[in-house]
Amino acid sequence: MSKLFEPVNLEPNSVLWDYRIHIEDYFKGYYHWHQCWEFLLVHEGTGTIVVNQQTFEIRRGMFFCFQPYQLHQVYADVAPARPYIRSIFYADPRLIDKQLQPFPYRQLRYHTLCNRSDIANVFDLESGAEGMEYIFDQYERAVQQGKGGDDEELAVLFLQMINYLPDNGSLRPDGDKRAKENRPSRYADKVMSWVENHYHEKFDLDSLANELHLSRNYISRLFREETGTSITEYLTARRVKQACRLLEQTDLSVEYIGNQVGFDNVSYFINLFKKVLGTTPLRYRKGAANPSKITIDNIF
């Protein structure tokens, strides 16, 4: 598994901008998070995106807003005749807040995005995709002119983006009828819901399969088909993510935290943590104690 935490090196008062990235060969995503916002606009493609224990389709007009430190994974089913084309930009949450200060209503809508932890910030723009693409096109033009870091250009980007998002909020898998119709039920969601309730226990694939009334081989295959990764990879990502939260917010011992998230062997927990994060639990805790570290819990 690749490293879960991917720090994004942002220049002060700027964004990291990738416009219309075109991929037509092998693309296998992995579970990870960043210390900043990630905004993803799909222009073309097929596949799935996992965020907040839910899976969403990749298709034109889907717009994803990944919060800082929010676990997510992208899996695109690509081929020369079936490319994956998307635009991405990363931004410091404080920069967005600063640029939206003169616009109280839009700033409030942005704060709503920041504070929603119960649902994923995923928007199906459908036939209105051209509008968001136009906003991205205009900022790309500013970037090409060397103005991408100008306060005015950043303010226009954030203001137009926030203003364009539907007032009725993002897709809710258990929400209104229209959301259900747009988003078909997936077995991966049921698996992730089960993991959410049992990740701190010893993993038992038979118990999961029995609860879903499927064979263990079949549920494993379905999960991989729908997400591009295995149940074990997702379970590991979820356990390590919770371990990070406990390391950041408590003084509990490393051994106790490992046990709390489902690892009964502290040495195995430490080695696995280092493998997927690139550092030991204690070093991660020391880094989290740095006052300059940004987390979603202290942005607002």
Side-chain angles (χ1 to χ4, degrees):
M1 179 183 290
S2 300
K3 292 182 180 179
L4 286 176
F5 176 52
E6 284 194 321
V8 177
N9 296 321
L10 292 169
E11 295 294 330
N13 299 319
S14 187
V15 301
L16 184 60
W17 179 258
D18 284 315
Y19 183 70
R20 285 191 174 269
I21 309 165
H22 187 114
I23 294 180
E24 59 181 35
D25 53 10
Y26 182 73
F27 183 95
K28 182 183 183 298
Y30 53 91
Y31 298 102
H32 63 286
W33 67 84
H34 318 283
Q35 86 282 14
C36 57
W37 277 99
E38 177 184 347
F39 299 95
L40 165 62
L41 174 62
V42 178
H43 302 288
E44 185 178 339
T46 59
T48 56
I49 289 181
V50 174
V51 58
N52 217 46
Q53 294 88 53
Q54 302 154 33
T55 56
F56 297 89
E57 280 188 79
I58 290 176
R59 63 175 183 272
R60 184 169 185 268
M62 293 296 287
F63 187 65
F64 298 84
C65 308
F66 303 119
Q67 295 173 332
Y69 294 91
Q70 185 172 52
L71 187 67
H72 59 280
Q73 181 251 10
V74 180
Y75 170 68
D77 182 16
V78 297
R82 194 174 58 249
Y84 175 38
I85 305 174
R86 83 276 195 206
S87 293
I88 300 176
F89 77 89
Y90 305 87
D92 188 315
R94 296 170 299 186
L95 172 63
I96 302 175
D97 193 49
K98 172 187 172 183
Q99 297 294 347
L100 292 177
Q101 281 181 357
F103 313 99
Y105 175 69
R106 275 72 183 184
Q107 186 185 47
L108 179 61
R109 292 190 67 189
Y110 167 61
H111 288 182
T112 300
L113 288 180
C114 293
N115 295 324
R116 294 195 305 188
S117 59
D118 56 329
I119 60 174
N121 291 314
V122 179
F123 301 85
D124 186 355
L125 303 179
E126 298 181 299
S127 59
E130 294 90 346
M132 190 65 79
E133 288 179 336
Y134 176 79
I135 294 169
F136 276 54
D137 289 344
Q138 292 301 300
Y139 185 73
E140 170 65 13
R141 186 174 302 177
V143 170
Q144 294 300 323
Q145 295 172 352
K147 299 179 181 179
D150 292 0
D151 283 343
E152 181 174 349
E153 298 297 339
L154 289 170
V156 169
L157 171 64
F158 301 146
L159 177 63
Q160 290 185 328
M161 181 185 71
I162 294 295
N163 196 54
Y164 194 76
L165 295 180
D167 286 331
N168 60 352
S170 56
L171 295 178
R172 295 170 173 80
D174 299 319
D176 55 43
K177 180 179 179 182
R178 182 172 177 273
K180 290 181 180 179
E181 290 174 349
N182 285 344
R183 187 178 174 279
S185 176
R186 297 175 181 275
Y187 277 106
D189 293 358
K190 298 177 182 179
V191 170
M192 287 184 283
S193 178
W194 186 92
V195 168
E196 192 65 17
N197 293 323
H198 299 280
Y199 70 84
H200 57 286
E201 304 169 359
K202 183 176 181 180
F203 179 55
D204 185 351
L205 182 58
D206 287 326
S207 294
L208 168 59
N210 289 337
E211 186 164 323
L212 297 184
H213 307 291
L214 298 170
S215 72
R216 51 185 291 152
N217 290 336
Y218 187 55
I219 192 61
S220 297
R221 180 167 63 83
L222 282 177
F223 189 87
R224 183 174 289 279
E225 288 177 354
E226 293 182 4
T227 69
T229 57
S230 68
I231 297 174
T232 301
E233 286 176 320
Y234 177 76
L235 173 65
T236 298
R238 183 63 187 91
R239 284 175 167 177
V240 173
K241 184 70 171 66
Q242 181 64 16
C244 289
R245 182 175 293 275
L246 293 175
L247 288 165
E248 292 174 5
Q249 299 180 355
T250 73
D251 294 324
L252 297 171
S253 71
V254 170
E255 182 176 6
Y256 185 83
I257 289 175
N259 184 263
Q260 286 294 296
V261 300
F263 298 103
D264 54 10
N265 184 304
V266 65
S267 297
Y268 178 76
F269 167 59
I270 292 172
N271 289 334
L272 181 65
F273 190 96
K274 186 175 181 180
K275 179 180 179 180
V276 299
L277 277 176
T279 188
T280 65
L282 286 179
R283 287 180 179 175
Y284 181 89
R285 170 175 275 166
K286 290 179 181 178
N290 187 334
S292 64
K293 183 181 178 66
I294 305 168
T295 70
I296 193 60
D297 299 311
N298 64 19
I299 293 170
F300 299 109

